[in-house]
Amino acid sequence: MPTIRTTRAHTCVATVTALLSLLSPYDSKALAATAPNSYALVQRAIDGYVLPHIEELKSQTERLALSVDRLCQNGAEASREEVASEFRKTVEAYAGIEFFRFGPLVEKGRREKLSFWPDPRGIVPRQLRLFMANQNLSQMNADAISKQSAALQGLPALEYLLTDNTAPLGPDAKSTDRCVLANAISQNIANNARDLEHGWTKDGGWKDKMLRPGSDNDTYKDPNESASEFVKALLVGFQLLADIQVKPRFDATRKQQGHITLVGPYEKSGLVKAYYAASVASLQKFYDTLAMENFLPEEQDWVKNWAGGAWRTMRASDGVGGRRPEAGRDDTPSLRELFDKITGLRKLVSREMAASAGLTVGFNELDGD
Amino acid sequence: MELDRRNLLLGTVAAIGANAYPASLMANSAMLPAFASAARRNSNSYSIVLLSASGQLLREIPLSARGHDIAVHRATHRAVAFARRPGTFAVAFEIDRPTPPHIFTALANRHFFGHGAFSHDGRLLYVTENDIPAARGVIGIYDVARNYTKIGEYPSYGLGPHEIIVLQDGRTLAIANGGLDTMPEAGRENLNRDAMDASLTFVDAQSGALVARHTLTSDLKQLSLRHIAADHQGRVWFGGQWEGDPGAAPGLIGYAGRDTRPEIINAPIDDSDYLKGYIGSVAISTDGRIFAASAPKAGRIVYLDTQTKRIISESILKDACGLAGETPSTFAASSGFGDLRHETSASHVISQTQISDIAFDNHLRRMS
């Protein structure tokens, strides 16, 4: 049964807030746990996860652009395989940073420019077909494509060109325009990844902003705000995984009713499972980097145990209803179980671990509407 | 509380735990609720909670998923809670009696956006919906007397309609079209951030004809208009959500009239982070002169004089979101940490209550 505490303070907001904070159930948890060092958490997240993963994306997109150019020059089967491999690695690298829905990834619409997905309305293929039919592609380059719709700029647009067997990329005359476009898109992807890295690492960039909170910082006033941003990112990652990778696959009711269905991430390239696996591996690495379990008091060991089981389930699934060979479980988790485990873990991070760390993220602040 | 078979079949009302209706609370059921809000329990369950003015929990209507806003018709003691975007259920209930709630759902190829409004006579309910295949906003019209049967729909004349209100004349609907495309299959992802098309529309409630449609200037293309309230002069005040570069957030609050273009009110300090790009809800004082807007990411509530068009005060409340005008000069505010606060528009706190185990969702509605 809920408890109700009431105070009266006609004159001073601060007094009321202070009194209530003393009584807050969240704060009692915080007192029971090891006091977190928010600055250390932020530094760990940036140096241990964010920057290496963004560097990986940047390097990978450069390799992808080179491989596309090579394929267009020689059309060799080995080059085609190389492009497919580099494309897969790029998509996996992107899965590792897509949940940072703040800072440089959302500035200038970079997320959509890198990966216009989900795309249930099929905007990417529709716009690409129109674009190729109506534009003179011979002068197309990365700068020109960067001024077009986000749907034309990123990995899904490149995937469309790479997987369109009616005109495989290569030196043939019939593929010239497509190769010009594919090169423009792949170089634009690399440019965006480079800008993303620059946004984090430049002087006064997002790394500085998160590590130097204060009254003169326009985004983070104290270290807890920076640390909470990373907690939110983790929670967003769980939500994206559960809601748009897993749920559409078992929520068959709407499909039966003839609703629009969501095609999985990079399904044309056969990368749905790879994307899921990369998402899980990335989220677990980020979770481990934040080390939020360390803030739990002893009596909450059950949270760690539950979280361990959830991670085993996530690793044991291939994300589409099957089992991964390296799974630490003997059985195959159902998609429903997988969904429930991901959302359950999200709640534990939000309400138990973050609360114990004193990094409570507001219900509405996290996901209001 | 009883569950009828329809509720169980629809699966919209969750199984009710022992805590949903503790005997001690049933004893208070004679007391009329003053406020209602969607809420989340620490046990991970969602519900609509009905509260006394002092914050005492009087009733609780469990939901199977997160709710959003509640349309209220005080004269007939009816209320309808909506699933939040892109949900598909709505729960109608009586304010003054704990009768079993009635569930209705969006038709095929439609989802709700979390908001609705009763006609002044209480006979119709207008609901913001998405025509999913066509990616266009519509206003669903429901016949209250026929168990909320859908009897028609109008276009909202925009994309992603969010809050809808009925203006004082009783025949004009004002609709905040957020400009964002969403669909259940894509969760809560906004599908068209680079091609947003927000608008504020005025629609004739009898004919569905467009009376006026206001869009924002190109530099505000990524300001999603979400929540609205009408002042005493019939102007519609809005609070938006910035979807553009975080460091470039403009003023999020503004107003427009049927015949006057939108005007943005700038923050009192030159700081794009002042409201952190997000207004969670808005409310108007009972005399229509003071407009309030909550910014949960900033933990801030701002009060604005609709005549001078200036922000007159601000208060701090962590995760503040729900707002309701109580008198010409006082408001109630709720938070995601279970706070229910009464304060003046000068930001003087009158009283504050915290209910443990409850996180109040976006909106708070006055029921009496």
Side-chain angles (χ1 to χ4, degrees), chain B residues 166-206:
Chain B
V166 181
L167 297 187
Q168 193 59 40
D169 64 9
R171 64 169 294 160
T172 307
L173 308 174
I175 303 147
N177 290 293
L180 288 163
D181 184 18
T182 51
M183 53 195 296
E185 285 73 11
R188 292 180 51 73
E189 289 282 85
N190 297 321
L191 303 172
N192 66 330
R193 202 191 304 266
D194 71 328
M196 286 176 59
D197 182 24
S199 62
L200 177 65
T201 54
F202 296 85
V203 174
D204 186 296
Q206 289 183 10

Side-chain angles (χ1 to χ4, degrees), chain A residues 167-363:
Chain A
L169 299 185
D172 294 351
K174 67 176 183 180
S175 297
T176 302
D177 281 356
R178 284 172 177 248
C179 267
V180 171
L181 184 57
N183 274 316
I185 293 171
S186 61
Q187 285 160 18
N188 180 64
I189 292 168
N191 290 347
N192 270 313
R194 199 174 305 126
D195 291 346
L196 177 64
E197 187 200 39
H198 187 61
W200 274 96
T201 57
K202 68 183 178 186
D203 282 347
W206 216 265
K207 176 180 178 178
D208 286 348
K209 196 183 278 259
M210 296 192 83
L211 287 173
R212 294 175 194 165
S215 57
D216 58 342
N217 185 317
D218 63 5
T219 306
Y220 304 110
K221 304 301 181 195
D222 65 60
N224 278 5
E225 289 189 11
S226 311
S228 295
E229 189 82 273
F230 280 125
V231 176
K232 278 189 264 183
L234 181 63
L235 299 175
V236 166
F238 288 134
Q239 184 176 30
L240 293 173
L241 185 66
D243 286 356
I244 60 175
Q245 288 198 57
V246 177
K247 191 179 178 194
R249 298 203 167 261
F250 72 81
D251 193 3
T253 314
R254 294 182 62 78
K255 191 172 184 178
Q256 287 162 5
Q257 291 171 347
H259 289 272
I260 296 169
T261 53
L262 178 65
V263 175
Y266 301 99
E267 193 161 307
K268 284 170 77 71
S269 306
L271 295 177
V272 174
K273 292 180 186 177
Y275 195 86
Y276 168 82
S279 299
V280 170
S282 304
L283 283 170
Q284 184 158 21
K285 185 173 178 191
F286 187 51
Y287 174 90
D288 291 342
T289 302
L290 295 182
M292 293 182 60
E293 287 185 2
N294 294 349
F295 301 125
L296 290 167
E298 276 182 21
E299 64 269 24
Q300 285 195 299
D301 268 357
W302 69 269
V303 175
K304 296 180 193 175
N305 295 335
W306 201 97
W311 284 117
R312 278 194 295 280
T313 300
M314 289 156 72
R315 290 196 304 268
S317 172
D318 66 0
V320 297
R323 184 166 171 270
R324 286 169 65 198
E326 68 271 34
R329 259 174 64 154
D330 295 334
D331 59 338
T332 303
S334 71
L335 288 170
R336 179 74 224 195
E337 182 197 353
L338 179 61
F339 176 82
D340 289 341
K341 287 285 167 60
I342 299 168
T343 52
L345 182 55
R346 181 177 187 270
K347 287 168 183 168
L348 284 183
V349 170
S350 169
R351 297 183 209 169
E352 304 299 337
M353 298 181 204
S356 292
L359 299 174
T360 49
V361 180
F363 183 41

